[in-house]
Amino acid sequence: MAHQKILILDFGSQVTQLIARRVREAHVYCEIHPNDVSDDFIRAFAPQGIILSGSHASTYEDHQLRAPQAVWDLGVPVLGICYGMQTMAVQLGGEVSWSDTREFGYAEVRAHGHTELLKGVQDFSTPEGHGMLKVWMSHGDKVTALPPGFKLMASTPSCPIAGMANEDKRYYAVQFHPEVTHTVQGPEIFNRFVREICGCAGDWIMGNYIEEAVARIRDQVGDEEVILGLSGGVDSSVAAALIHRAIGDQLTCVFVDHGLLRLNEGQMVMDMFAGRLHAKVVHVDAAAQFMGHLKGVTDPEQKRKIIGREFVEVFQAEAKKLSNAKWLAQGTIYPDVVESGGTKTKKATTIKSHHNVGGLPETLGLKLLEPLRELFKDEVRELGVALGLPPDMVYRHPFPGPGLGVRILGEVKPEFADLLKRADAIFIEELRSTIEPNSGKSWYDLTSQAFTVFLPVKSVGVMGDGRTYDYVVALRAVQTSDFMTADWAELPYSLLKKVSSRIINEVRGINRVTYDVSSKPPATIEWE
Ligand code: XMP
């Protein structure tokens, strides 16, 4: 079960996780660790190759931010990216020049394809026959003198040394960012590095991973019992299916239905897990309890806290009844656990307290079982499909832990939740069934998150011969790759028209539908 591994040393770039995703897409296992891990750690990790990430820092300003000596002593291939290239240059005897102007955005780089890394890799060629790459650049400093033993691998007019290599040592470095999607040949470059230069066989495949994960869970748990909080979300669902595959009835899922789930969601979760998988599921209908505690509360943060607290309470009460349980399973995934050099210095400001229903306190006194800890979201989805979960469930848009509690603005009332669930189901149904002709994909698949928001205001309308005075909903649909920034989706008018007409006709109590055309920032994706 020992996979060949690539070590990614993080110097604090915003996009280090993308490096890991590209490596995993090449079917090679990798881990991200802070740049200042010890030499012993690196030797014990025994990587097939090492990648040095970018950074917000400058090799000029920060003399601490260097690759550990073991990187150069281990004799394995090394790929430096942006800052990673600069620190490679500085540490191996080249020069970097400081600059206070940044080069940022699209660039065309001349690839000197005589190295193993870029041989035959190009997007187009110039009339003179030079191979060119379309890339993404984001840097201030640049390498101005090659270290001894290195040759030029890529160049642009403003950055004459945009890539360098020492092929005897198998060291490669690029000033541009092959990990971002704007660099067209990025996947090919990573594939070349990890598969051919580092010689990794490509043994990281989700279909095969099931067997390995199952064996590991059995080994960890033995004959003890496990409980898992099922939320209906992708991570807890895949974790449940995987653990169930491993230990069957030793797993009990507790599904706390707070009444703020999407239409029929509770039933769907029960049909899937209790019905099709024959897993043990305790379904706790706690809607009345949650609604009771939310009565009269209008502040969004307060609502989040109450929902989080009640969830823990209900779950704990159920857990106590399962006195044989020794393990608590959670759907924690790699981005939740990855340590990064950046996080040591960066101060994150809390805009919303993103409590995750499923994040339970340690007071339960149970051992933690987190079988998805090393997987990215795309891998969790692939694993889910491989485990036989329906693609519709596995490729669902993310849904916040507090559920409709933060999509009903102000006070949450059962009658508002009922109207919202029905309106939202219509919106999602139409998104799924409307195909965008150029891509052949549905608008559901073309958006990252789409939902309906309930506004507790009434507006006047006219229906038949009568005047109505009913509630308003807002449709929200965004496109984003990281949920940190997002654009509102340019849905076709015909689709919006149909959704609006269906909601107003089919959901009595709503007489006006609006579309939210705010991007993030300055707005957020959710309204609360
Ligand atoms: P915002 O509204 O901050 O949302 O732009 C970014 C992403 O986070 C989700 N979100 C939450 N998820 N608990 C969660 O588990 C929360 O309290 C919460 N608030 C927002 C949101 O749905 C979007 O995907």
Side-chain angles (χ1 to χ4, degrees):
M1 273 199 270
H3 291 279
Q4 293 175 310
K5 295 182 283 192
I6 297 289
L7 172 64
I8 299 166
L9 290 180
D10 181 24
F11 290 86
S13 154
Q14 301 273 357
V15 289
T16 302
Q17 288 203 14
L18 293 181
I19 301 176
R21 283 173 57 181
R22 297 290 98 80
V23 172
R24 301 267 186 106
E25 281 162 14
H27 301 297
V28 173
Y29 183 70
C30 61
E31 287 179 17
I32 301 171
H33 290 278
N35 74 282
D36 58 357
V37 290
S38 67
D39 289 340
D40 285 346
F41 174 88
I42 294 178
R43 278 189 286 269
F45 191 90
Q48 293 285 118
I50 298 173
I51 301 178
L52 310 176
S53 85
S55 175
H56 49 87
S58 160
T59 49
Y60 255 76
E61 290 163 356
D62 196 336
H63 299 279
Q64 305 302 320
L65 213 54
R66 296 283 181 263
Q69 187 54 37
V71 169
W72 316 114
D73 294 345
L74 220 54
V76 300
V78 181
L79 172 65
I81 295 174
C82 193
Y83 182 91
M85 165 161 167
Q86 294 162 15
T87 197
M88 183 187 284
V90 168
Q91 291 185 256
L92 301 180
E95 269 171 37
V96 171
S97 291
W98 180 82
S99 154
D100 52 7
T101 52
R102 293 185 71 79
E103 184 183 11
F104 183 79
Y106 175 76
E108 291 178 355
V109 169
R110 178 173 159 193
H112 297 260
H114 48 253
T115 64
E116 199 59 32
L117 188 71
L118 295 185
K119 197 186 290 166
V121 180
Q122 66 173 55
D123 288 304
F124 64 97
S125 60
T126 61
E128 304 82 54
H130 297 144
M132 301 294 287
L133 293 171
K134 297 176 172 181
V135 305
W136 188 259
M137 286 276 197
S138 172
H139 67 109
D141 302 355
K142 58 190 169 206
V143 175
T144 44
L146 293 169
F150 276 74
K151 61 184 175 186
L152 186 66
M153 185 170 67
S155 56
T156 73
S158 62
C159 183
I161 306 180
M164 60 180 197
N166 178 338
E167 297 219 271
D168 292 337
K169 292 196 174 298
R170 296 178 298 162
Y171 293 166
Y172 298 86
V174 287
Q175 185 54 65
F176 57 88
H177 287 271
E179 69 275 31
V180 305
T181 50
H182 313 280
T183 297
V184 181
Q185 298 297 329
E188 182 52 37
I189 295 172
F190 279 107
N191 201 58
R192 183 69 64 81
F193 182 70
V194 299
R195 301 289 292 269
E196 290 176 33
I197 296 170
C198 300
C200 295
D203 58 4
W204 183 251
I205 293 164
M206 282 304 108
N208 304 346
Y209 180 75
I210 296 179
E211 218 175 292
E212 160 180 351
V214 159
R216 200 185 314 164
I217 293 166
R218 287 188 184 144
D219 191 46
Q220 234 181 321
V221 171
D223 56 6
E224 294 178 334
E225 294 199 4
V226 179
I227 46 175
L228 173 142
L230 199 55
S231 71
V234 176
D235 302 341
S236 70
S237 298
V238 175
L242 179 63
I243 298 169
H244 182 257
R245 172 80 64 97
I247 58 169
D249 272 357
Q250 282 165 259
L251 170 72
T252 304
C253 301
V254 176
F255 173 42
V256 178
D257 187 347
H258 50 35
L260 297 164
L261 297 171
R262 290 161 286 192
L263 191 68
N264 301 330
E265 192 164 7
Q267 197 49 48
M268 270 159 29
V269 170
M270 292 307 292
D271 287 349
M272 182 65 219
F273 288 94
R276 278 177 56 186
L277 288 182
H278 304 292
K280 278 204 272 184
V281 188
V282 180
H283 183 186
V284 191
D285 181 0
Q289 177 176 340
F290 277 80
M291 287 296 178
H293 286 281
L294 286 168
K295 203 168 166 36
V297 182
T298 55
D299 176 61
E301 285 300 280
Q302 202 57 31
K303 292 198 287 182
R304 273 194 174 76
K305 290 210 173 79
I306 291 171
I307 296 170
R309 186 194 67 208
E310 286 308 308
F311 178 86
V312 169
E313 212 146 275
V314 174
F315 187 90
Q316 267 177 321
E318 287 306 317
K320 276 200 191 112
K321 294 183 201 161
L322 302 164
S323 52
N324 287 334
K326 295 282 179 286
W327 293 86
L328 174 68
Q330 290 194 318
T332 314
I333 67 173
Y334 195 51
D336 305 330
V337 297
V338 62
E339 267 186 90
S340 97
T343 53
K344 282 194 249 167
T345 47
K346 253 182 263 157
K347 283 199 187 75
T349 45
T350 309
I351 296 171
K352 295 175 190 180
S353 64
H354 280 199
H355 102 85
N356 251 325
V357 170
L360 293 161
E362 287 156 11
T363 52
L364 285 169
L366 298 169
K367 296 178 272 187
L368 269 188
L369 181 66
E370 297 180 315
L372 310 179
R373 260 182 91 82
E374 52 191 24
L375 306 187
F376 281 108
K377 194 84 176 185
D378 345 341
E379 296 173 321
V380 170
R381 294 198 157 109
E382 254 179 74
L383 180 63
V385 172
L387 282 163
L389 293 178
D392 269 7
M393 172 183 246
V394 165
Y395 285 93
R396 233 169 167 193
H397 290 168
F399 186 63
L404 303 184
V406 290
R407 292 182 179 170
I408 295 167
L409 305 193
E411 185 178 356
V412 178
K413 295 182 181 172
E415 60 272 28
F416 293 172
D418 176 58
L419 293 174
L420 176 58
K421 280 179 195 181
R422 289 192 288 143
D424 187 62
I426 292 171
F427 184 30
I428 299 301
E429 190 182 309
E430 291 299 332
L431 284 169
R432 281 198 191 275
S433 63
T434 310
I435 306 296
E436 193 280 320
N438 291 324
S439 61
K441 291 183 176 173
S442 77
W443 277 100
Y444 186 84
D445 289 331
L446 290 172
T447 47
S448 316
Q449 206 171 6
F451 53 90
T452 311
V453 180
F454 185 86
L455 313 187
V457 291
K458 285 188 162 187
S459 84
V460 172
V462 54
M463 234 178 176
D465 291 334
R467 173 187 184 276
T468 59
Y469 187 54
D470 282 331
Y471 288 107
V472 184
V473 292
L475 307 177
R476 179 76 163 142
V478 296
Q479 288 167 322
T480 172
S481 52
D482 56 10
F483 294 87
M484 310 277 281
T485 62
D487 290 320
W488 59 274
E490 295 187 30
L491 297 181
Y493 283 166
S494 54
L495 170 59
L496 291 172
K497 194 171 177 177
K498 188 163 181 204
V499 172
S500 156
S501 140
R502 278 195 59 195
I503 291 177
I504 293 169
N505 281 304
E506 296 173 32
V507 187
R508 178 159 292 192
I510 295 174
N511 70 353
R512 196 172 292 267
V513 175
T514 64
Y515 188 54
D516 180 354
V517 288
S518 331
S519 286
K520 173 183 179 176
T524 51
I525 297 173
E526 304 287 349
W527 278 43
E528 281 196 338

